[in-house]
């Protein structure tokens, strides 16, 4: 039977246990966030009928941003720019969505 007489060994074990608890907790949180984001992207892409690749989702976001630029141009009474931005956004989204 081994008797622990060194207090620094106990302190090292306590500190190691604390670090292990923090790392396991953070791993659990990031695993839950990863699962949630994966489920969101899969549901989003399935609803739109696009692939669930990061490039497809980036192009959907870009298309929505172009539509936003078109609407904001219409609000500022810049009709030619608004038509161009809206057509670009709608064209991009129409090529992606099946």
């Amino acid at each position: 039977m081994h008797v622990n007489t060194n207090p620094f060994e106990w302190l090292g074990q306590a500190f190691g246990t604390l670090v292990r608890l923090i790392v396991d907790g953070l791993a659990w949180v990031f695993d839950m966030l990863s699962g949630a984001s994966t489920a969101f992207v899969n549901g989003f892409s399935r609803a739109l009928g696009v692939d669930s690749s990061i490039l497809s989702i980036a192009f959907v976001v870009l298309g929505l941003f172009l539509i936003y630029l078109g609407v904001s141009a219409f609000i500022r009474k810049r009709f030619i720019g608004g038509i161009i931005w809206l057509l670009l956004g709608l064209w991009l989204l129409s090529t992606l969505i099946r």
Side-chain angles (χ1 to χ4, degrees), residues 65-75 78 81-83 85-86:
F65 182 68
L66 291 174
I67 290 175
Y68 168 76
L69 288 177
V71 170
S72 65
F74 277 124
I75 290 172
R78 296 182 179 168
I83 290 172
W85 288 122
L86 277 178

Side-chain angles (χ1 to χ4, degrees), residues 28-89:
W28 178 78
V29 167
F30 287 127
D31 186 45
M32 293 299 285
L33 289 175
S34 172
S37 64
T38 301
F40 174 78
V41 168
N42 286 337
F44 182 72
S45 63
R46 192 176 315 119
L48 288 177
V50 297
D51 294 331
S52 63
S53 68
I54 191 72
L55 194 58
S56 296
I57 300 301
F59 281 134
V60 168
V61 171
L62 178 64
L64 291 174
F65 182 68
L66 291 174
I67 290 175
Y68 168 76
L69 288 177
V71 170
S72 65
F74 277 124
I75 290 172
R76 290 184 308 230
K77 297 181 182 176
R78 296 182 179 168
F79 298 110
I80 303 290
I83 290 172
I84 291 172
W85 288 122
L86 277 178
L87 287 178
L88 281 174

Side-chain angles (χ1 to χ4, degrees), residues 2-9:
H2 183 267
V3 178
N4 221 354
T5 58
N6 193 350
F8 292 108
E9 186 175 346

Side-chain angles (χ1 to χ4, degrees), residues 12-26:
Q13 281 185 335
F15 185 68
T17 303
L18 179 66
V19 169
R20 176 72 184 234
L21 181 69
I22 291 171
V23 168
D24 286 345
L26 287 174

